[in-house]
């Protein structure tokens, strides 16, 4: 069995093809192929409120390529989701129809809360210490999803229109920052000693830079020092000297600012980085759908 997940984000488009393994009643998956194409839809969506013809062409070409790969890999089931940029684009639904006719892919534009729920479908809470409280932080290009887990259960969740690209484009609003701060502080008062869990391409990259063992947490101070280090380089040098991808080098700074702000407000001293994202959650949803008892 093989499943595929497509994530059309604000900064990039991803395709994950996963091999499904069944051992008795336990169904799991192993990543076979992961492709990331840097089509940045966020700039169009957040500045002009619609996706440009140029970006639509790039998106459709990518979807046709993904469709071909899905066929070649003989994928049994797939699911494609679009997030913040497509949510805000006035021509989002027209693009969904175009992708259906040109690439034969059914695409769902997901709301913020559904996006959060898909990410959590990868059952990260199962590997958590059930005695602890966790603040889950997922920072994307256009939105940040925050959730609180206590005793392994999600007890609160909110989606905020703050993301790396939105900040780069100066489309972040003071009231959204204030709203998020208030929400986090409120949660921290109710749920003491919060540990962080971070997902998203930027925190994965930061974790790699921290040079830590998988399963260990980055402290707030370590994250802050990596941020200061990155910020001491020009954009050009972050690409040429540090070797960051062009579409990562700019957005990583504002994205880290979101992680640090949320951790500070919540009194979160350390953050675990399980290196999963929307595509992992989608594969898990497909497993849950197809293997439901």
């Amino acid at each position: 069995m093989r499943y595929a997940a497509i994530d059309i984000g604000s900064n990039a488009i991803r395709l994950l093809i996963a091999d499904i393994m069944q051992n008795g009643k336990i169904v799991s998956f192993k990543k076979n192929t992961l492709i990331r194409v840097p089509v940045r839809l966020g700039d169009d969506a957040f500045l002009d409120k619609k996706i440009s013809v140029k970006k639509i062409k790039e998106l459709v070409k990518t979807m046709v390529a993904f469709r071909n790969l899905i066929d070649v890999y003989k994928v049994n089931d797939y699911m494609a989701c679009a997030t913040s940029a497509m949510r805000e684009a006035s021509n989002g639904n027209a693009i969904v129809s175009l992708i259906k006719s040109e690439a034969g892919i059914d695409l769902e534009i997901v709301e913020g809360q559904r996006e959060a729920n898909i990410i959590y479908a990868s059952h990260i809470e199962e590997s958590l210490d059930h005695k602890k409280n966790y603040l889950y932080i997922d920072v994307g290009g256009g939105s940040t999803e925050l959730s609180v887990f206590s005793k392994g259960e999600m007890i609160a969740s909110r989606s905020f229109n703050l993301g790396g690209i939105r900040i780069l484009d100066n489309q972040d609003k003071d009231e959204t920052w204030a709203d998020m701060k208030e929400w986090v502080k409120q949660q921290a008062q109710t749920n003491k000693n919060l540990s962080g869990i971070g997902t998203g391409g930027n925190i994965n990259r930061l974790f790699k830079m921290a040079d830590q063992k998988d399963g260990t947490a980055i402290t707030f101070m370590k994250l802050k020092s990596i941020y200061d280090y990155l910020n001491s380089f020009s954009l050009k040098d972050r690409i040429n000297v540090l070797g960051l991808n062009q579409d990562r080098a700019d957005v990583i700074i504002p994205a880290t600012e979101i992680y640090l702000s949320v951790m500070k407000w919540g009194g979160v001293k350390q953050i675990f980085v399980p290196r999963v994202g929307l595509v992992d959650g989608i594969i898990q949803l497909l497993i849950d759908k197809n293997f439901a008892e």
Side-chain angles (χ1 to χ4, degrees):
M1 293 286 282
R2 212 169 254 169
Y3 296 157
I6 294 171
D7 165 18
I8 299 178
S10 306
N11 194 34
I13 304 167
R14 291 176 181 83
L15 166 69
L16 171 63
I17 293 173
D19 296 328
I20 310 305
M21 297 168 296
Q22 192 171 10
N23 183 4
K25 284 195 169 179
I26 297 163
V27 183
S28 58
F29 70 90
K30 184 166 149 274
K31 293 181 187 186
N32 179 315
T33 304
L34 179 64
I35 295 164
R36 179 180 182 277
V37 183
V39 178
R40 185 173 279 188
L41 301 177
D43 287 337
D44 287 1
F46 307 140
L47 291 167
D48 306 324
K49 305 299 174 204
K50 60 183 281 199
I51 310 288
S52 65
V53 173
K54 181 175 175 280
K55 287 282 167 80
I56 291 171
K57 282 181 179 167
E58 288 177 15
L59 175 57
V60 170
K61 274 185 182 171
T62 306
M63 287 298 108
V64 170
F66 283 4
R67 174 81 253 180
N68 288 333
L69 284 168
I70 284 170
D71 292 345
V72 168
Y73 274 91
K74 298 181 172 55
V75 165
N76 302 85
D77 200 1
Y78 78 92
M79 183 173 162
C81 296
T83 57
S84 192
M86 289 278 279
R87 280 202 286 273
E88 286 195 27
S90 58
N91 54 347
N93 289 330
I95 295 169
V96 168
S97 303
L98 186 66
I99 285 169
K100 174 68 177 164
S101 65
E102 297 287 318
I105 284 176
D106 291 305
L107 176 63
E108 178 192 346
I109 298 176
V110 294
E111 286 309 311
Q113 193 51 59
R114 172 140 165 85
E115 182 182 346
N117 293 342
I118 293 170
I119 295 163
Y120 310 137
S122 48
H123 301 308
I124 288 161
E125 75 284 353
E126 287 173 6
S127 61
L128 307 181
D129 181 342
H130 282 203
K131 295 184 200 78
K132 287 185 181 170
N133 295 324
Y134 292 90
L135 176 59
Y136 196 119
I137 311 161
D138 181 77
V139 177
S143 65
T144 294
E145 274 67 48
L146 300 177
S147 295
V148 178
F149 282 88
S150 183
K151 297 182 179 136
E153 297 284 317
M154 190 203 295
I155 55 167
S157 190
R158 273 282 300 271
S159 178
F160 296 90
N161 279 343
L162 277 173
I165 291 167
R166 206 185 284 272
I167 296 170
L168 275 183
D169 293 340
N170 295 312
Q171 296 302 304
D172 54 318
K173 295 186 170 71
D174 289 347
E175 54 265 38
T176 316
W177 279 103
D179 199 14
M180 185 158 83
K181 182 178 182 177
E182 193 188 338
W183 190 86
V184 172
K185 289 200 153 197
Q186 210 178 343
Q187 297 305 324
Q189 274 176 350
T190 325
N191 307 283
K192 298 285 182 252
N193 304 322
L194 287 165
S195 283
I197 300 170
T199 53
N202 291 295
I203 196 87
N204 288 347
R205 182 67 213 196
L206 292 160
F207 186 81
K208 208 171 167 184
M209 289 182 76
D211 202 22
Q212 298 205 183
K213 285 195 179 115
D214 280 353
T216 61
I218 308 181
T219 64
F220 176 87
M221 295 313 293
K222 179 115 184 220
L223 193 59
K224 176 78 169 71
S225 72
I226 296 170
Y227 168 77
D228 291 338
Y229 174 71
L230 283 168
N231 223 357
S232 70
F233 288 84
S234 66
L235 174 60
K236 203 171 151 191
D237 283 347
R238 287 201 290 272
I239 297 164
N240 297 329
V241 180
L242 299 181
L244 290 179
N245 285 347
Q246 205 165 343
D247 66 309
R248 175 74 64 215
D250 55 355
V251 81
I252 197 164
I253 298 292
T256 313
E257 283 163 9
I258 298 176
Y259 287 107
L260 288 169
S261 299
V262 171
M263 287 175 77
K264 192 169 86 181
W265 301 331
V268 176
K269 294 184 181 71
Q270 56 174 10
I271 187 163
F272 292 91
V273 183
R275 293 206 239 188
V276 298
L278 194 73
V279 284
D280 302 81
I282 290 172
I283 298 290
Q284 192 57 53
L285 280 186
L286 290 169
I287 289 173
D288 295 346
K289 179 186 91 173
N290 291 307
F291 288 86
E293 300 222 298

